[in-house]
Each structure stands twice: as structure tokens, then as C-alpha cells.
Amino acid sequence: MSRDNAKGTPGAGAGPFRNSTILVTGGAGFIGSNFIRTVLSRDDFRGTIVNYDKLTYAGNLSSLVDVEAKHGGSKYFFERGDICDGNKLREVIGRHNITVIVHFAAESHVDRSITGPAAFVETNINGTFQLLETAREVWNKRQDVRFHHVSTDEVYGSLGPTGSFLETTPYDPRSPYSASKAASDHLVRAYYHTYGLPVTLSNCSNNYGPFHFPEKLIPLMILNALEGKPLPVYGDGQNVRDWLYVVDHCEAVWSIVEQGRAGETYNVGGECERKNIEVVLSLCDTLDRLCPVTANPRLAGRKDLGSYRDLITYVADRPGHDRRYAINCDKIKSELGWKQRHTFETGLRETVQWYLDNRAWVDTVRSGEYLKWLDQNYSKRSS
Ligand code: NAD
Ligand code: DAU
């Protein structure tokens, strides 16, 4: 299928949902906020987006101030709500005449699922169930609608040194986070087979980019480095992740919404495997170029630091730490014509520069609760 587009937005063609009103759950989070911005900036999108978000610690409307300023009250609306609240969902879906749901809302951090799994079962499993039930009830067997479920490569488990995950790879989740996402994926497929709800699913590898909450590896390392704090590498640093720039993921999700076949799953990945220690070294080198230690006012007087690399510290490993993920995304490439547009090098440079330029956003999202959790998590991890 063609990605040709005279105005430069990928995936242009005769998509059925570009005039629709779309409910984006978790739209105030990292990927959800990038998705809303990406879709609303498309020349061919004439519809409306309703962002439905509970605003947990990970949800921040400060990630959407530009969207609100440009489209608020016309093409963009925010509704604060919990996906576990069926009454609220029914009311919002009915009032806005929603015909497409793109479901990002989740508890998303593996370390938090280890220290507090209950919220993961509640939001990721029960919340997805409530959303499916509400869609089934309100849409009442309509087929001109779409439910897209955003999932993760972690449901497939941990790889050895070779091979990659296919859409047909058996599920083998190993953390409370991935187990709860696997359960939600099974529910979504069950609603397709049992009730005929027109669903699609995507399972994506590790995202990075602007608006990434600073508990995850890449933003945590950037911000710790800039503040002269240790860069905590879990275990031996040899675990491998497959990195994808977040906007490339958003474009993949939109291409599935527009062109994907109901009932199908599409793997999405960066085809960019890196060991964790390689990622941290690349980040340090990028920071050394963009904001050298000697030019960083926060590090004035730190005679122990010649480079950000001097901050790298190995700490205790994450329990059950999956060794390697790698995604085979041939299906979405050949069937829908999607492809990654950022290399790891360009994406990482843009991301580091974004964090250098957006200190106010960082300060807003780092609430007291976030700092307390970070402190508790890392005090247990001393090397
Ligand atoms: P995030 O933690 O940054 O954002 C989650 C959002 O969901 C937040 O805005 C939060 O307020 C909202 N939310 C949480 N519980 C809610 C509830 N009960 N009701 C309504 N809203 C609620 O997550 P993210 O990194 O943007 O991930 C988004 C989705 O993509 C998740 O489903 C995740 O499993 C999946 N995913 C993430 C990655 C990644 O690398 N970040 C990769 C693959 C898949
Ligand atoms: O693979 C997709 C998944 O990627 C998503 O489903 C999850 O929502 C997302 O959080 C992410 O999970 P990871 O556990 O892979 O991401 P995280 O950024 O937490 O960690 C990336 C790797 O870096 C992992 O091997 C653990 C390691 N790590 C992480 C942190 C936070 C460290 O070594 N030190 C750290 O401080």
C-alpha cells in the first residue's frame, strides 16, 4: 500500500477514519500525547480527538499545551476519567459520538509493577475489559467503527542471543506489567472472535523521544547526567532492547487504524537493537557534545568529572529482568507500507536536545510523589 502523499504526511490515501471522532485513552501520557500531536498535525485529518485520561502520576496535560492552544474546543477535547469507570466511559463515548478508540491508557513501568502490581491488574486488565464492554454496548454490532489496542513486545517474553518476535510468537510474559498487558491482549482478541467487535492490535518495542516520563531509562539517564547524579545501570548492562523513536510508533498506530485489517495484530519495532550499556554510553557522548561537563553550570566545581561517562554506576539487577527483545516488523512494512523514519543516532540527538530545551516541562512532571518513588526505588539498588 502506498505511503505517497503530496503534503509529506506518511500513509496518505483513502483512510476511512480521517473524519471521525476518536477517543484516545491515556492521551496525556508519553506515547498518547505524541500520538494526538502527530494525528492532529496531519494535513489529511479532518476529524476530532477526545483525550480520555485519569491523570495518574504519568499523565501530564503540560505535554499538550501546544495542542490545546491550537485545537482546544475545535478538534481537540480533554475528558478526565478512569477507564475502569464504565458509566463515565459510556457517557463520554455517547456524548462525543465516538467511532474510533485508540487505547494507550495503562500502567506502563516494569519496576513499578514489581513493587506494586495491583494497579497494573486494575488498569491494564479490568480497565481494558471495561473499555471493551462499553464499546460493545454502545456500538451494538456496528462494523463501521474501530477499537485499536496498543500493546508491547514484552508479552512475548525474553529472547536468547538470536531470533526475533513474530506476531505468531507464543506469549510468555514474565513481569506483572507484561502479564497484565498479555491478559488485556487476550481480552481484545476474545471480543473480536466472540462478539465481532472490529479490533486491531499492535505490539511495539521500546519507545523514546520527547515527553518521556523520567523514570524510564533514556530520560532518567539524560536528567541524572545533567544534574551530576549517578547513572544506574541494572545488572551487567548487557540486556538488549529494540529502540523506536516515538513519532515513528505513532505513525505506525495511525496506519493500522486507517488501513489495518480487523482482527489482525501488527508488530512494530525499531530494528535497532542496543545493549543498555551501549545506550547509556551513546547518551553520555551526545551530552558531551551538546552540553559539555565544563559548560554545565550545575556541575561547576565537579573536578571528578571529565565526561558524563564518569557517572555510570552498576547497580543491583531488576528481578526477572528480560534479557533481550527484538521485533520482526515485516508484516506492517509489507502490508501497510509503514517504515521507521528516524535512525537511533538522529532520534537520540533530537531527544537529548529536547530535554535540554524543555527544562520547564521536566520541572512540572517531577512532582513530590515522583521524587519519593525514585528515592525508594534506587535506595534499594545500591551496587
Ligand atoms: P505512560 O505511563 O507514559 O502513560 C500512560 C497514560 O495512561 C497516562 O497519561 C496515565 O494518566 C493514563 N492512565 C493510567 N491509568 C489510567 C486509567 N485507569 N484510566 C485512564 N487513564 C489512565 O505510558 P506510555 O509509555 O505512553 O505507554 C502507552 C501505552 O503504550 C501503554 O499501553 C504501554 O503498555 C504501551 N507501550 C509502551 C511502550 C514504551 O516504550 N513506552 C512500548 C510499547 C507499548
Ligand atoms: O519493550 C516495550 C516496553 O519498554 C514497554 O512496554 C514499557 O511500557 C516500557 O516501560 C519499556 O519497558 P523497559 O522495562 O524495557 O523500559 P525501561 O526504560 O524501564 O528500561 C529499559 C532497560 O534499561 C531495561 O533493560 C532496564 C534498564 N534500566 C532501566 C532503568 C530505569 C537500567 O539499567 N537502569 C534504569 O535506571
Side-chain angles (χ1 to χ4, degrees):
M1 246 169 257
S2 165
R3 276 163 59 90
D4 291 347
N5 174 12
K7 294 192 174 164
T9 41
F17 295 120
R18 56 191 54 164
N19 296 317
S20 305
T21 304
I22 301 175
L23 188 81
V24 174
T25 72
F30 164 47
I31 308 175
S33 61
N34 276 287
F35 179 77
I36 291 172
R37 182 175 295 99
T38 300
V39 174
L40 284 175
S41 64
R42 291 182 65 94
D43 302 320
D44 57 1
F45 182 71
R46 310 243 180 274
T48 303
I49 291 185
V50 179
N51 174 10
Y52 185 91
D53 198 299
K54 182 179 173 183
L55 298 184
T56 67
Y57 79 94
N60 295 289
L61 292 177
S62 54
S63 303
L64 288 161
V65 281
D66 56 330
V67 168
E68 179 67 51
K70 191 165 176 199
H71 301 290
S74 56
K75 292 179 80 172
Y76 169 75
F77 297 87
F78 174 68
E79 297 277 359
R80 186 168 192 178
D82 190 332
I83 54 167
C84 301
D85 182 347
N87 290 332
K88 174 94 186 182
L89 279 173
R90 202 171 300 111
E91 191 276 315
V92 169
I93 291 174
R95 178 160 45 85
H96 288 279
N97 192 19
I98 299 292
T99 51
V100 177
I101 295 173
V102 183
H103 178 32
F104 290 97
E107 289 291 337
S108 70
H109 191 35
V110 175
D111 289 322
R112 286 183 190 255
S113 83
I114 295 167
T115 52
F120 289 70
V121 171
E122 181 61 6
T123 283
N124 299 359
I125 305 177
N126 288 337
T128 301
F129 166 68
Q130 279 301 335
L131 195 58
L132 287 163
E133 267 297 90
T134 311
R136 178 167 85 92
E137 181 194 316
V138 176
W139 288 342
N140 191 23
K141 297 195 167 58
R142 275 178 72 174
Q143 291 299 302
D144 59 340
V145 290
R146 183 54 62 93
F147 185 113
H148 181 74
H149 178 62
V150 179
S151 192
T152 171
D153 60 357
E154 300 201 9
V155 297
Y156 298 123
S158 184
L159 288 165
T162 58
S164 56
F165 299 129
L166 288 161
E167 286 82 357
T168 49
T169 300
Y171 275 29
D172 183 22
R174 295 148 50 100
S175 73
Y177 163 69
S178 52
S180 67
K181 290 296 290 187
S184 68
D185 294 8
H186 291 319
L187 281 168
V188 174
R189 290 192 187 100
Y191 271 64
Y192 172 71
H193 291 291
T194 309
Y195 303 115
L197 190 74
V199 307
T200 45
L201 296 92
S202 50
N203 292 81
C204 187
S205 63
N206 285 63
N207 286 212
Y208 68 100
F211 304 103
H212 204 179
F213 193 79
E215 65 188 353
K216 308 282 168 56
L217 178 76
I218 287 182
L220 180 93
M221 293 293 169
I222 296 171
L223 297 179
N224 275 17
L226 289 172
E227 291 164 12
K229 295 180 182 160
L231 306 181
V233 176
Y234 297 171
D236 61 5
Q238 300 296 306
N239 300 63
V240 173
R241 295 292 179 267
D242 174 359
W243 292 96
L244 178 67
Y245 191 70
V246 63
V247 175
D248 287 339
H249 181 196
C250 296
E251 288 172 353
V253 169
W254 182 244
S255 76
I256 298 166
V257 169
E258 286 243 285
Q259 307 170 64
R261 287 177 292 138
E264 291 294 315
T265 296
Y266 297 87
N267 277 355
V268 184
E271 298 178 297
C272 172
E273 290 181 52
R274 294 284 187 283
K275 292 175 180 159
N276 290 340
I277 187 63
E278 293 172 343
V279 172
V280 177
L281 289 170
S282 296
L283 280 169
C284 290
D285 296 348
T286 307
L287 279 164
D288 281 334
R289 281 194 296 278
L290 296 179
C291 180
V293 166
T294 46
N296 181 344
R298 287 170 182 252
L299 304 183
R302 287 287 299 267
K303 302 254 178 294
D304 55 322
L305 297 182
S307 151
Y308 291 102
R309 286 185 175 211
D310 297 331
L311 293 165
I312 294 173
T313 312
Y314 287 90
V315 299
D317 209 352
R318 172 187 279 175
H321 195 177
D322 288 339
R323 194 63 171 171
R324 177 172 162 261
Y325 303 141
I327 276 276
N328 178 315
C329 51
D330 290 350
K331 179 176 172 180
I332 188 172
K333 286 183 152 181
S334 62
E335 202 175 294
L336 306 185
W338 171 86
K339 64 174 191 271
Q340 310 90 346
R341 296 203 296 161
H342 293 78
T343 66
F344 191 59
E345 288 62 39
T346 57
L348 208 61
R349 197 171 51 242
E350 281 180 32
T351 303
V352 170
Q353 190 62 55
W354 188 89
Y355 279 89
L356 288 169
D357 294 342
N358 287 276
R359 195 70 216 181
W361 179 87
V362 171
D363 292 341
T364 314
V365 304
R366 282 175 139 181
S367 67
E369 189 276 337
Y370 159 79
L371 288 175
K372 198 166 101 202
W373 182 86
L374 211 62
D375 187 44
Q376 282 166 353
N377 190 44
Y378 285 102
S379 63
K380 290 193 205 112
R381 284 190 186 276
S382 48
S383 47

